[in-house]
Amino acid sequence: MEENINIIKSAGIDEREEIIVDFARWLEAASQDALVYGEGRFAMMSASMAEAMRVDADEPARDNPENTERVLQQASAMMAQFKAAYPHRVISRSVH
């Protein structure tokens, strides 16, 4: 993740948009994991951020790369915080 943030300034518009969408996917996965752990607030916040990033991925990719870098750093910090609190990844989300 960090390497994607570092190259955002030198990447082209298409690459930036792809990186933004990748971060949105990671946030969505973290949101689903948070639901399993009972963290509804984090799940809602990360899902909302992921949706906003995915819907508007083309706009930040064309605009100021510094702003895009800042948003990606915030998303990365959110995911790092969640991973620190719950270091074990959810393997199965099935409910019996």
Side-chain angles (χ1 to χ4, degrees):
M1 268 190 282
E2 293 295 321
E3 61 273 358
N4 288 339
I5 294 173
N6 294 334
I7 65 167
I8 199 78
K9 289 181 184 176
S10 61
I13 293 173
D14 292 336
E15 292 170 323
R16 282 187 210 154
E17 189 171 352
E18 189 174 318
I19 291 170
I20 293 167
V21 170
D22 286 344
F23 267 84
R25 284 190 200 116
W26 292 328
L27 278 170
E28 287 170 346
S31 172
Q32 292 172 356
D33 290 349
L35 284 175
V36 170
Y37 284 118
E39 292 289 335
R41 291 170 132 186
F42 178 81
M44 180 181 270
M45 187 170 52
S46 59
S48 297
M49 187 173 189
E51 184 179 351
M53 288 172 72
R54 186 176 294 225
V55 168
D56 293 333
D58 61 332
E59 189 175 321
R62 287 184 172 80
D63 291 343
N64 194 349
E66 287 82 18
N67 292 339
T68 304
E69 181 180 18
R70 199 170 310 126
V71 168
L72 296 181
Q73 285 173 346
Q74 290 173 353
S76 179
M78 282 177 50
M79 289 185 284
Q81 217 172 13
F82 180 75
K83 286 181 183 178
Y86 300 99
H88 305 290
R89 179 144 171 85
V90 174
I91 296 172
S92 174
R93 293 184 182 97
S94 62
V95 177
H96 299 278

